[in-house]
Amino acid sequence: MIGKALAAAALATAPAWLPGRVVALRVKIFSLVNGEDTVTIPGEQVGAEDFRRVYADPAANGRSRGAALSDLFWYWLAPGPEVHQEHLEPGPRYDEVAKCTRHILVKSKKDSEELTRRVATHVLDRLDGGLIRLRDEMMPIWAELYYELVFEEPCPPEARDLIVANADDVVSALKCVRPRNMRRRARLTKYLRRRLDDVPHPLPESLTPQEQVYYLQGTFFNTAVVQMSEAMAHLLMIVAQHPDVQRRLAENPDDDAYFDRVIDEGLRTYPLFGIAHRISTADIELANLTIPAGTVLCFSYPDFHHAGFEHPEEFDPERWCSHAVQAKKDVNFVPFGIAQNRACPARGLAPLTMRVVAREVLRRFSLASTAGHTRSIPNRGPALLTPVGVRRKRAPLVWLAVRDRWEDVWRSLAQLVFGTYMVIDARRQALCSTYFAGGKS
């Protein structure tokens, strides 16, 4: 009887204790991937005060070669991780690819806002509200927007569905909530190969046609769509759980300064990157430490963004008022990376387009959420959308709270199982190690 009672109590209280235990175990498993030649920054060896210094060092420029962690990221981002902009080693080929990306992304502020508003309107006008997953509803917006940036024509439904399916599979694998579905990804690859000659932009000549397809898929329809969908899910979850912020944004939609403070604080509190890794190609000299060549440098954005702030765990957009912070370069805040070391090419486009989409959402709906909100947001941002002018119902929010707590239990177990499997499978396939062992660069 006592055993059954204890088992029942453990099951009943599982949402309170199990997810945290499983996350800790997953972190331990993944830390084994890094090996011993790893320095986490900020950490015991290198503090937050040297984060920018090390990140910007010319020797912190290795990207994939020589890091066991690269096998895992290449596995998650396949197909074509060898030509993904973020995983190319420094050199002429990287420079050509990066230049092409900048060319595709460059638009005037007016044109960018007009494109984003048109795409957001097209997607959101079909949304009725109710209980939704914010990331799922945001993903078609970014699929259509980046398709139009690449092809300079409206996105057909077939392409949007392929892009969304591909991006959803990539991010679900990254969060270990399910294993990769390479057939789903291959369908987008096949579509892009068929449409390659329709791309109006000059693509990198150093890449073969198949590599150009992989470049487009990885840079724009994996990373860009995933990151922007995640960014919007975070922003709208913040709005949903901070009524004062939502009220001010809804009542003053043209207040760009306040919008920017909310976006900045969201990116500080919930940075899109967890760990960015680089490999040192020469010794890096610090005041009290020499980081040897060949070290895997793991830059922890969440830890850096928390260091040096009062009450860093609190969401407070007013900390970005001019009287509170003189310059962003003087605080621990690098939401789009470091300019000297592969800063996000969409860093100018992202906040602008996020404002437009958020305004379009708030023009149609009020938001509320009782779900958990974490940096990795594996629950995809559950929220209740109520059309503006309609009285919000309380019952769905109660149900949402209960559902999310119990989903956290099975999702944590799924992440443990799938994450462990993918770590082992990535090590077995060794995509990155095999590529460089074959003499590639």
Side-chain angles (χ1 to χ4, degrees), residues 85 88-102 204 206 215 342:
Q85 180 171 324
L88 284 171
E89 294 299 314
R93 188 160 68 154
Y94 167 76
D95 294 339
E96 185 188 20
V97 166
K99 181 179 179 181
C100 178
T101 301
R102 290 193 299 269
S206 61
Y215 155 68
R342 302 196 185 193

Coordinates of all heavy atoms in Angstrom, one line a residue, residues 85 88-102 204 206 215 342:
Q85 N 26.0 28.9 -44.4 CA 26.9 30.1 -44.2 C 27.6 30.0 -42.8 O 28.7 30.4 -42.7 CB 26.1 31.3 -44.3 CG 26.9 32.6 -44.1 CD 26.2 33.9 -44.5 OE1 25.4 33.9 -45.4 NE2 26.4 34.9 -43.7
L88 N 30.6 27.3 -42.7 CA 31.7 27.4 -43.6 C 32.9 28.0 -42.9 O 32.8 28.9 -42.1 CB 31.4 28.3 -44.8 CG 30.5 27.8 -45.9 CD1 30.1 28.9 -46.9 CD2 31.2 26.7 -46.7
E89 N 34.1 27.4 -43.1 CA 35.3 27.9 -42.6 C 35.6 29.3 -43.2 O 35.2 29.5 -44.3 CB 36.5 26.9 -42.8 CG 36.3 25.6 -42.1 CD 36.3 25.8 -40.6 OE1 37.1 26.5 -40.0 OE2 35.4 25.1 -40.0
P90 N 36.4 30.1 -42.5 CA 36.7 31.4 -43.1 C 37.6 31.3 -44.3 O 38.3 30.3 -44.5 CB 37.5 32.1 -41.9 CG 38.0 31.0 -41.1 CD 36.9 29.9 -41.1
G91 N 37.4 32.2 -45.3 CA 38.1 32.1 -46.5 C 37.3 32.6 -47.7 O 36.2 33.2 -47.4
P92 N 37.8 32.6 -48.9 CA 37.1 33.2 -50.0 C 35.7 32.6 -50.2 O 34.8 33.4 -50.6 CB 38.0 32.8 -51.2 CG 39.3 32.6 -50.6 CD 39.1 32.0 -49.3
R93 N 35.5 31.3 -50.0 CA 34.1 30.8 -50.2 C 33.1 31.4 -49.2 O 32.0 31.7 -49.6 CB 34.1 29.3 -50.2 CG 32.8 28.7 -50.6 CD 32.9 27.2 -51.0 NE 33.2 26.3 -49.9 CZ 32.8 25.0 -49.9 NH1 32.2 24.5 -50.9 NH2 33.1 24.3 -48.9
Y94 N 33.5 31.4 -48.0 CA 32.7 32.0 -47.0 C 32.4 33.5 -47.3 O 31.2 34.0 -47.2 CB 33.3 32.0 -45.6 CG 32.5 32.9 -44.6 CD1 31.3 32.5 -44.1 CD2 33.0 34.1 -44.3 CE1 30.6 33.3 -43.3 CE2 32.3 35.0 -43.4 CZ 31.1 34.6 -42.9 OH 30.4 35.4 -42.1
D95 N 33.4 34.3 -47.7 CA 33.2 35.7 -48.1 C 32.2 35.8 -49.2 O 31.3 36.7 -49.2 CB 34.5 36.3 -48.5 CG 35.5 36.4 -47.3 OD1 35.1 36.3 -46.1 OD2 36.7 36.5 -47.6
E96 N 32.3 34.9 -50.2 CA 31.4 35.0 -51.4 C 29.9 34.7 -50.9 O 29.0 35.4 -51.3 CB 31.8 34.1 -52.5 CG 31.0 34.2 -53.7 CD 31.3 33.1 -54.8 OE1 31.9 32.1 -54.4 OE2 30.9 33.3 -55.9
V97 N 29.8 33.7 -50.1 CA 28.4 33.3 -49.6 C 27.8 34.4 -48.8 O 26.7 34.7 -48.9 CB 28.5 32.0 -48.9 CG1 27.2 31.7 -48.1 CG2 28.8 30.8 -49.9
A98 N 28.6 34.9 -47.9 CA 28.1 36.0 -47.0 C 27.7 37.2 -47.8 O 26.7 37.9 -47.4 CB 29.2 36.3 -45.9
K99 N 28.5 37.5 -48.8 CA 28.1 38.7 -49.6 C 26.8 38.5 -50.3 O 25.9 39.4 -50.5 CB 29.2 38.9 -50.7 CG 29.0 40.1 -51.6 CD 30.1 40.3 -52.6 CE 29.9 41.5 -53.5 NZ 31.0 41.7 -54.5
C100 N 26.6 37.2 -50.8 CA 25.3 36.9 -51.5 C 24.1 37.0 -50.5 O 23.1 37.6 -50.9 CB 25.4 35.5 -52.0 SG 23.9 34.9 -52.8
T101 N 24.3 36.6 -49.3 CA 23.2 36.7 -48.3 C 22.9 38.1 -48.0 O 21.7 38.5 -48.0 CB 23.7 36.0 -47.0 OG1 24.0 34.6 -47.2 CG2 22.6 36.1 -45.9
R102 N 23.9 39.0 -47.8 CA 23.6 40.4 -47.6 C 22.9 41.0 -48.7 O 22.0 41.8 -48.6 CB 25.0 41.1 -47.3 CG 25.6 40.8 -46.0 CD 26.7 41.7 -45.7 NE 27.8 41.7 -46.7 CZ 28.9 40.9 -46.6 NH1 29.0 40.1 -45.6 NH2 29.8 41.0 -47.5
P204 N 26.4 32.2 -55.3 CA 27.9 32.0 -55.2 C 28.4 31.1 -56.3 O 27.9 29.9 -56.4 CB 28.1 31.4 -53.8 CG 26.9 31.9 -53.1 CD 25.8 32.0 -54.0
S206 N 31.3 29.8 -56.5 CA 32.1 28.7 -56.0 C 31.3 27.5 -55.6 O 31.9 26.4 -55.2 CB 32.9 29.3 -54.8 OG 32.0 29.7 -53.7
Y215 N 22.6 25.8 -49.9 CA 22.9 27.1 -49.3 C 21.5 27.9 -49.1 O 21.3 28.4 -48.0 CB 23.8 28.0 -50.2 CG 23.7 29.4 -50.1 CD1 24.1 30.1 -48.9 CD2 23.2 30.2 -51.1 CE1 23.9 31.5 -48.8 CE2 23.0 31.6 -51.0 CZ 23.4 32.2 -49.8 OH 23.3 33.6 -49.7
R342 N 31.1 37.2 -37.6 CA 29.9 36.6 -38.1 C 28.6 37.0 -37.4 O 27.9 36.2 -37.0 CB 30.0 35.1 -38.2 CG 31.2 34.6 -39.0 CD 31.0 33.1 -39.3 NE 32.3 32.6 -40.0 CZ 32.4 31.5 -40.6 NH1 31.3 30.7 -40.7 NH2 33.5 31.2 -41.2

